[in-house]
Amino acid sequence: MSAKKLKKERLKKHLFTKNRLVILNDDTFEEIFSLRLTLMNVFVVAGVGAILIIFVTTFIIAFTPLREYIPGYPSTELKRNATELALKSDSLEFAIKKNEAYLQSIQKVLNGNLEYAKVNKDSILAIAVDTFPELELTPSEKEMELRREVEQEEQKSPAKTSQKGKK
């Protein structure tokens, strides 16, 4: 036990013994710089310096374009190209869906499942693009009343509507 205590005391004494760092001019032996240090101070300053260098290097690499040179980090040009390709693939997928809907309607016409008069490319493409959920579109009582009134007015005055068409 005393041997361990003795080692600790020697280490403590060695770490905290004050030493002098002196820089001299070799020709004149003039003292240029002098500093009193302990071994513990040297270790602390070296550790803080190493941590500071690591932090600054990490910051420079992470927040500057230097990160593109590290394997695994994508370049900005690669990101831009990937975004453009994703947009192009979406638009191509949309065009393919439209063409498939058009071809299916033509197949129905050729097979005789649909009349030719009902096939219109624009309407087919609109149906393929605009797929709305099933909505219940029953007219309200007020709307039905308004329709009846409009029908009655049209029946009473057919001459006015024919004159408007002639102008």
Side-chain angles (χ1 to χ4, degrees), residues 21-40:
L21 173 67
V22 179
I23 298 177
L24 298 174
N25 186 346
D26 200 28
D27 295 334
T28 62
F29 294 108
E30 179 185 352
E31 186 176 314
I32 296 173
F33 180 74
S34 175
L35 187 63
R36 264 184 113 169
L37 297 172
T38 62
L39 197 55
M40 183 59 97

Side-chain angles (χ1 to χ4, degrees), residues 2-161:
S2 65
K4 285 185 178 181
K5 211 174 197 183
L6 189 61
K7 279 188 176 182
K8 283 184 182 180
E9 294 249 346
R10 274 182 48 197
L11 181 63
K12 187 176 177 183
K13 186 177 181 182
H14 188 65
L15 284 176
F16 292 104
T17 302
K18 293 186 179 182
N19 298 307
R20 182 176 296 264
L21 173 67
V22 179
I23 298 177
L24 298 174
N25 186 346
D26 200 28
D27 295 334
T28 62
F29 294 108
E30 179 185 352
E31 186 176 314
I32 296 173
F33 180 74
S34 175
L35 187 63
R36 264 184 113 169
L37 297 172
T38 62
L39 197 55
M40 183 59 97
N41 288 347
V42 173
F43 286 144
V44 169
V45 169
V48 169
I51 291 172
L52 188 66
I53 288 173
I54 291 170
F55 177 74
V56 169
T57 305
T58 305
F59 184 79
I60 288 172
I61 290 173
F63 297 108
T64 62
L66 286 175
R67 68 174 169 246
E68 293 177 9
Y69 296 109
I70 296 175
Y73 280 101
S75 66
T76 54
E77 184 179 341
L78 181 64
K79 286 181 183 180
R80 189 177 326 112
N81 288 342
T83 305
E84 288 176 11
L85 290 175
L87 292 173
K88 284 181 183 178
S89 67
D90 286 345
S91 63
L92 288 174
E93 188 176 321
F94 181 71
I96 288 172
K97 285 182 182 178
K98 285 176 24 178
N99 286 338
E100 284 177 357
Y102 181 67
L103 290 175
Q104 286 176 357
S105 64
I106 288 178
Q107 283 179 344
K108 287 180 184 177
V109 170
L110 293 175
N111 292 335
N113 296 339
L114 188 66
E115 294 178 18
Y116 179 73
K118 292 183 180 178
V119 177
N120 181 2
K121 184 174 182 178
D122 294 332
S123 65
I124 292 169
L125 295 178
I127 289 170
V129 173
D130 299 331
T131 54
F132 294 110
E134 298 271 338
L135 297 176
E136 192 173 317
L137 300 174
T138 56
S140 65
E141 194 62 39
K142 288 183 179 181
E143 190 175 343
M144 293 299 291
E145 211 173 292
L146 179 65
R147 288 181 184 181
R148 286 186 212 117
E149 288 177 16
V150 170
E151 283 178 15
Q152 288 174 359
E153 287 181 16
E154 286 179 356
Q155 289 173 357
K156 288 180 184 176
S157 59
K160 288 182 182 177
T161 55

